[in-house]
Amino acid sequence: MIIIPLNLPPEAQIAWGKYTEAKTNENKVKLMENYLKLVPHHKGMGKHLAQCKTKLAKLKSDLQAEKLAAKSRITGERWMVPKEGDAQIALIGIPGCGKSALLNYICEREVTEEGEFPFTTLKPTVGAAYANGSLLQIIELPGIIEKASEGANNGPRIFAQAPYADLIVFVLDLHEKPVNQLELLIDELQKAKIKLNEGHNNFIFNRTGKGGHIIVGAEKYFESGLSGVKSVLHHIN
Ligand SMILES: Nc1nc2c(ncn2[C@@H]2O[C@H](COP(=O)(O)OP(=O)(O)OP(=O)(O)O)[C@@H](O)[C@H]2O)c(=O)[nH]1
Ligand SMILES: [Mg+2]
């Protein structure tokens, strides 16, 4: 909590009052900036000014995170979340394992509803947070169930997003046989041809003289026919 010095000039007192009444982060940033212009910058105010500047920096980062989350909110039939910010992080887990709770905790606000029953989050849900100066876009993907890779619970749409993430976080409910959950997640991701702990393949597209293309570096994917070809296309950024 910021403690207000007793010897503030009247105009700064009024500006502080306005700041404390602001409801949105956008207004808080504006009003704090205005307040800082009116506070005398002498030695006695050093500690107070430092506190206000720290608060302003936090407000600015919260505002940026809010804007990023709003920009990438999923509406209507749209599912794919375009990458915004410095990194995209996907939270993956079985239904009801605590993905929404974790998302809300990391983002320090109620980004999404936590449900008493599984299958509460049915579409990708996006939040944002700052960590060490980096703006992170965090996506809760709907729960993965058995046979998701074959289509269950929108599995293919979930797996279409996963390769775009810079990091996939497995969220496990420690009360519900976590090892089984982990095995299920890894199994379904592998069946969906999503590579874990490997870099992107370096595919090379060579145009042929006759108007076609040769793709170099994708041989192992082509062994599985059309689904392999689709998988290759998914892995190309
Ligand atoms: N005690 C406890 N409860 C938790 C924790 N994390 C989540 N919960 C509760 O578990 C329930 C499910 O949590 P959610 O965060 O909605 O789970 P989810 O993975 O988002 O679920 P779906 O969106 O349905 O897939 C909610 O009632 C949460 O409040 C935790 O760490 N401890
Ligand atoms: Mg959820």
Side-chain angles (χ1 to χ4, degrees), residues 90-109:
L91 305 181
I92 286 191
I94 64 166
C97 66
K99 299 179 294 300
S100 295
L102 183 62
L103 181 68
N104 290 340
Y105 180 78
I106 297 170
C107 299
E108 296 179 348
R109 63 180 70 88

Side-chain angles (χ1 to χ4, degrees), residues 33-183:
E33 281 174 342
N34 183 47
Y35 170 71
L36 281 171
K37 282 184 205 150
L38 299 170
V39 178
H41 283 54
H42 57 68
K43 214 176 163 192
M45 290 287 174
K47 194 174 166 197
H48 176 63
L49 281 169
Q51 281 182 327
C52 288
K53 284 178 186 168
T54 306
K55 180 71 189 170
L56 181 61
K58 172 84 172 73
L59 286 169
K60 280 185 173 173
S61 64
D62 282 355
L63 180 62
Q64 211 174 346
E66 258 173 30
K67 283 185 175 167
L68 183 147
K71 207 171 158 188
S72 37
R73 194 158 290 138
I74 295 294
T75 52
E77 277 308 295
R78 209 178 115 221
W79 260 65
M80 291 298 288
V81 184
K83 186 169 158 178
E84 301 278 353
D86 296 310
Q88 186 179 93
I89 299 172
L91 305 181
I92 286 191
I94 64 166
C97 66
K99 299 179 294 300
S100 295
L102 183 62
L103 181 68
N104 290 340
Y105 180 78
I106 297 170
C107 299
E108 296 179 348
R109 63 180 70 88
E110 201 181 324
V111 177
T112 186
E113 185 194 349
E114 296 169 29
E116 211 176 311
F117 301 102
F119 299 100
T120 300
T121 309
L122 299 174
K123 285 192 168 188
T125 305
V126 189
Y130 256 95
N132 296 331
S134 300
L135 186 54
L136 308 178
Q137 181 189 42
I138 305 160
I139 310 174
E140 175 188 356
L141 291 172
I144 303 285
I145 59 174
E146 224 180 305
K147 301 208 167 153
S149 54
E150 293 171 31
N153 198 33
N154 274 315
R157 296 172 102 181
I158 299 171
F159 295 134
Q161 180 74 48
Y164 289 96
D166 298 292
L167 178 72
I168 294 175
V169 175
F170 290 148
V171 183
L172 304 176
D173 180 347
L174 298 187
H175 291 106
E176 292 287 334
K177 298 186 180 158
V179 176
N180 291 6
Q181 291 172 52
L182 186 60
E183 283 170 356

Side-chain angles (χ1 to χ4, degrees), residues 15-38 56:
W16 180 260
K18 285 187 181 163
Y19 161 73
T20 56
E21 281 168 19
K23 297 273 183 290
T24 64
N25 279 335
E26 191 149 18
N27 279 341
K28 284 181 191 170
V29 166
K30 272 190 214 149
L31 292 168
M32 177 60 96
E33 281 174 342
N34 183 47
Y35 170 71
L36 281 171
K37 282 184 205 150
L38 299 170
L56 181 61

